[in-house]
């Protein structure tokens, strides 16, 4: 009797649990089941659920309350899974990184890279070629502290920071807003071309201004989501847009060939040391029969394109300083103490300026740049749920960057959250703005070094504000600001030593 009574209590309890789960749209997890999720509508799948928020990542976070930390969603006819906790994200990116190394097959990605997204380092599927391409770039893009490449980077950084300070001092009229983004774009482009191609451009060179603008348009574009990504039959409606993408990409390729590669090829010494990253790529092409011409040119293009990411990040950091003047004042105290007002900042100052570094990290956290979606290259599982080959996996790092489970007062801009009690930079393990695992961002050291130099240098010389009554809005879950964006006011600081530089 007792057993029967217990069994009926258990049965009742199970029914209640199942009912509750059903009400919340969840299913109990059993080996081999797909993650729970909304039933797809014909044609749209669940795309309509993403449209009700400012950006898809906010929608992903809202769906956690209904379906749990991992769920399936169909976008158009594409099967997707969304993972929303650090543990699940780590499983996808690290523990099972080799199962989830592919990229989605969006037509936009093909258009930007000569008709084949596998030409691009960031948008290709994982392959031996990708391993080789990552290996060639490592020494240049992730130079070890105090290595020869690091010294080289510092020399280039110092030269470009001085050139930018000079240009800004001539362009900034006290009290007048300045459209600073084009200047920042050229400064960042020069940091990259000078370091990677031993080539720099004048700030008023019309060809350079046009190419940095085109890169910036592409960076903004690549950060947008389009329904056609999941519903390719919409393509005819996007024909003009796709043509524009393709022509931007061709224009950039032409510029790189004419201004950089041809000159390098003509002066390449196969028996000497590579002069820079461009030489290293060209030498590799001649020595490695598995490398083809387009692999080299697209790799260079990918890396030079990284300058737009830095420029947009610096713009976002300046906007954060405008919104939080106390943050700017603290960076100024730091830079004044380190340079004693008598020299420009260098890369070697970074370790003595933790608050400045923390401000850039806080900008990355609050901007929450999305991680490029991954794709399952084999049948696998996440969190015990079955995930079929070909499934697109969205990494909800917006939740990691803004969730109350991870951060105190996540909506506030608080660089000090990245400082330890003894004042050093300290990052929690779940803070992964550059992702983690085998497809982690290759440019992260360059980003951190170059953005540090520009932010510290600007605030060393200027107070940065916006015209009164300007309401600043920046996109959520995006590290890009539109190519045409806010003008800022640069007021020289009342400090004779810094203005004399
Ligand atoms: C604000 C600046 C940047 C941020 C927040 C950022 C972040 C990211 C993220 C999240 C990924 C995806 C990793 C994954 O799928 O797991 C990525 C990939 C990548 N990034 Fe960055 N990145 C930045 C700038 C740069 C720069 C300046 C470069 C080049 C110099 C660069 C080169 C790459 C490459 C080549 C990949 C593809 C790696 C692969 O798929 O194997 N990034 N980045």
């Amino acid at each position: 009797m007792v057993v029967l009574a217990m069994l009926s209590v258990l049965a009742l309890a199970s029914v209640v649990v199942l009912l509750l789960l059903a009400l919340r749209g969840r299913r109990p997890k059993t080996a081999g089941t797909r993650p729970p999720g909304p039933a797809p509508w014909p044609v749209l799948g669940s795309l309509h659920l993403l449209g009700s928020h400012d950006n898809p990542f906010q929608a992903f976070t809202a769906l956690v309350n209904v379906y749990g930390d991992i769920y399936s969603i169909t976008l158009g006819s594409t099967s997707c899974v969304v993972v929303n906790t650090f543990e699940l994200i780590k499983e996808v990116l690290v523990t099972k990184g080799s199962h989830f190394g592919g990229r989605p097959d969006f037509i936009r990605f093909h258009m930007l890279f000569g008709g084949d997204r596998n030409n691009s380092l960031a948008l290709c599927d994982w392959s031996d070629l990708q391993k080789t391409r990552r290996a060639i770039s490592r020494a240049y893009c992730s130079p070890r502290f105090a290595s020869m490449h690091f010294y080289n980077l510092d020399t280039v950084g110092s030269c470009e920071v001085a050139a930018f300070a000079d240009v800004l001092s001539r362009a900034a009229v006290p009290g007048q807003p300045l459209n600073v983004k084009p200047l920042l774009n050229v400064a960042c482009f020069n940091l990259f071309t000078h370091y990677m191609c031993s080539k720099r451009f004048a700030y008023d060179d019309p060809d350079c201004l046009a190419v940095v603008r085109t890169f910036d348009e592409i960076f903004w574009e690549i950060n947008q989501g389009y329904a056609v990504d999941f519903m390719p039959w919409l393509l005819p409606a996007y024909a003009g847009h796709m043509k524009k993408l393709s022509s931007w990409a061709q224009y950039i390729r032409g510029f790189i060939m004419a201004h950089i590669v041809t000159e390098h090829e003509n002066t390449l010494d196969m028996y000497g040391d590579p002069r820079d990253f461009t030489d290293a790529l060209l030498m590799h092409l001649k020595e490695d029969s598995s490398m083809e011409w387009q692999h080299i040119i697209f790799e260079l293009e990918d890396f030079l394109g990284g300058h737009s990411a830095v420029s947009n990040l610096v713009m976002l950091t300046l906007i954060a300083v405008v919104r939080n003047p106390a943050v700017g004042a603290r960076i100024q105290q730091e830079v004044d103490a380190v340079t004693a007002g008598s020299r420009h900042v260098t890369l070697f100052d970074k370790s003595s300026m933790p608050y400045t570094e923390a401000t850039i990290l806080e900008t990355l956290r609050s901007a929450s740049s999305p991680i490029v979606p991954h794709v399952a290259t084999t049948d696998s599982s996440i969190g015990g749920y079955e995930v079929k080959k070909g499934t697109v996996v969205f990494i909800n790092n917006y939740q990691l960057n803004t969730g109350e489970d991870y951060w105190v007062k996540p909506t506030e801009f608080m660089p000090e959250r990245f400082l330890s009690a003894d004042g050093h930079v300290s990052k929690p393990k779940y803070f992964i703005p550059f992702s983690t695992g085998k497809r982690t961002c290759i440019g992260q050291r360059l980003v951190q070094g170059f953005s540090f130099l520009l932010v510290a240098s600007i605030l060393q010389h200027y107070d940065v504000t916006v015209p009164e009554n300007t309401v600043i809005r920046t996109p959520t879950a995006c590290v890009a600001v539109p190519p045409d964006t806010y003008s800022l006011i640069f007021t020289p600081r009342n400090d004779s030593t810094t203005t004399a530089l």
Side-chain angles (χ1 to χ4, degrees):
M1 273 302 275
V2 177
V3 176
L4 268 180
M6 278 175 67
L7 281 176
S8 45
V9 169
L10 276 176
L12 188 66
S14 319
V15 171
V16 172
V17 168
L18 281 172
L19 266 174
L20 283 173
L21 285 167
L23 276 176
R24 298 192 68 198
R26 297 188 192 186
R27 279 181 290 150
K29 179 174 36 169
T30 52
T33 53
R34 285 185 69 222
W41 286 8
V43 184
L44 281 182
S46 296
L47 270 171
H48 60 290
L49 295 178
L50 306 191
S52 51
H53 289 79
D54 276 357
N55 73 76
F57 285 87
Q58 281 176 331
F60 288 158
T61 294
L63 289 173
V64 170
N65 295 325
V66 187
Y67 300 108
D69 294 331
I70 169 167
Y71 51 84
S72 320
I73 189 163
T74 308
L75 300 181
S77 58
T78 309
S79 291
C80 309
V81 163
V82 186
V83 289
N84 299 279
T85 64
F86 179 60
E87 285 312 314
L88 292 167
I89 289 173
K90 215 169 57 176
E91 185 178 344
V92 173
L93 297 177
V94 183
T95 327
K96 295 184 182 154
S98 57
H99 297 186
F100 296 103
R103 295 292 195 204
D105 213 17
F106 299 157
I107 293 166
R108 279 191 306 142
F109 292 177
H110 292 295
M111 289 296 160
L112 287 169
F113 287 90
D116 182 0
R117 69 178 171 82
N118 280 305
N119 286 326
S120 152
L121 266 96
L123 308 176
C124 67
D125 291 324
W126 187 254
S127 63
D128 285 340
L129 169 67
Q130 177 72 347
K131 267 196 257 175
T132 311
R133 293 194 293 194
R134 286 187 67 109
I136 307 173
S137 65
R138 197 161 295 130
Y140 291 89
C141 295
S142 302
R144 269 179 292 122
F145 183 72
S147 62
M148 191 189 73
H149 290 306
F150 188 88
Y151 277 102
N152 215 349
L153 196 65
D154 181 57
T155 309
V156 166
S158 299
C159 165
E160 294 308 333
V161 157
F164 178 64
D166 181 45
V167 167
L168 197 53
S169 72
R170 281 184 277 120
V173 177
Q176 295 293 312
L178 171 71
N179 179 17
V180 72
K181 201 176 187 206
L183 299 181
L184 271 179
N185 286 342
V186 178
C188 291
F189 193 54
N190 273 333
L191 279 163
F192 277 74
T193 56
H194 193 165
Y195 177 60
M196 295 184 166
C197 322
S198 314
K199 173 104 189 174
R200 60 185 312 279
F201 297 87
Y203 277 72
D204 56 0
D205 176 337
D207 287 348
C208 175
L209 285 167
V211 86
V212 294
R213 169 78 192 197
T214 309
F215 267 121
D216 201 26
E217 297 272 9
I218 291 186
F219 187 67
W220 175 248
E221 155 69 34
I222 218 158
N223 273 282
Q224 311 304 308
Y226 288 93
V228 69
D229 290 343
F230 297 100
M231 296 189 287
W233 49 266
L234 282 177
L235 196 55
Y238 283 82
H241 186 71
M242 295 296 167
K243 213 169 138 197
K244 189 170 69 180
L245 295 190
S246 184
S247 71
W248 280 344
Q250 272 172 28
Y251 170 68
I252 284 178
R253 220 149 290 142
F255 179 95
I256 293 178
M257 279 303 297
H259 292 265
I260 293 168
V261 175
T262 309
E263 199 177 298
H264 265 71
E265 268 199 306
N266 293 341
T267 53
L268 183 68
D269 173 7
M270 277 304 284
Y271 302 102
D273 287 332
R275 291 165 292 187
D276 49 28
F277 182 53
T278 310
D279 266 8
L281 284 171
L282 289 170
M283 286 164 134
H284 218 90
L285 175 66
K286 297 209 187 309
E287 283 161 359
D288 180 347
S289 58
S290 69
M291 291 294 272
E292 290 170 26
W293 175 245
Q294 81 267 20
H295 299 144
I296 298 301
I297 185 81
F298 283 109
E299 179 153 359
L300 190 57
E301 184 181 317
D302 260 354
F303 281 104
L304 293 182
H307 86 273
S308 297
V310 177
S311 171
N312 278 270
L313 176 61
V314 171
M315 196 66 207
L316 279 173
T317 312
L318 293 179
I319 288 174
V321 164
V322 166
R323 283 173 167 153
N324 304 276
V327 170
R330 222 172 133 182
I331 294 178
Q332 287 172 333
Q333 273 171 14
E334 218 175 42
V335 69
D336 290 351
V338 165
T339 61
S342 61
R343 62 167 176 83
H344 290 293
V345 273
T346 77
L347 277 183
F348 288 95
D349 294 326
K350 189 158 159 274
S351 55
S352 315
M353 295 180 57
Y355 188 81
T356 308
E357 190 179 347
T359 303
I360 292 167
L361 295 177
E362 179 68 343
T363 307
L364 281 167
R365 183 195 69 83
S366 44
S368 192
S369 174
I371 294 179
V372 189
H374 286 231
V375 169
T377 50
T378 176
D379 288 347
S380 184
S381 64
I382 308 171
Y385 288 109
E386 173 187 87
V387 176
K388 289 268 181 225
K389 180 177 174 178
T391 305
V392 174
V393 181
F394 285 99
I395 314 287
N396 185 358
N397 63 331
Y398 181 72
Q399 176 65 10
L400 282 193
N401 286 325
T402 59
E404 292 197 336
D405 293 351
Y406 297 100
W407 308 93
V408 178
K409 299 187 187 160
T411 53
E412 290 187 19
F413 191 84
M414 297 178 8
E416 53 278 14
R417 68 173 90 244
F418 288 106
L419 295 179
S420 63
D422 60 358
H424 290 103
V425 171
S426 156
K427 295 174 251 183
K429 62 180 185 324
Y430 47 80
F431 179 60
I432 49 166
F434 300 103
S435 189
T436 178
K438 64 199 296 176
R439 297 215 70 162
T440 188
C441 176
I442 310 179
Q444 50 190 291
R445 292 223 182 134
L446 295 183
V447 173
Q448 293 180 69
F450 288 159
S451 57
F452 163 81
L453 283 176
L454 287 168
V455 168
S457 165
I458 292 170
L459 290 169
Q460 181 183 21
H461 302 295
Y462 300 95
D463 292 324
V464 185
T465 51
V466 282
E468 231 174 290
N469 300 327
T470 307
V471 181
I472 297 188
R473 286 199 186 83
T474 44
T476 352
C478 183
V479 83
V481 283
D484 294 310
T485 186
Y486 300 101
S487 291
L488 306 178
I489 299 175
F490 294 85
T491 309
R493 292 176 63 206
N494 286 333
D495 177 338
S496 52
T497 43
T498 50
T499 45
L501 278 180

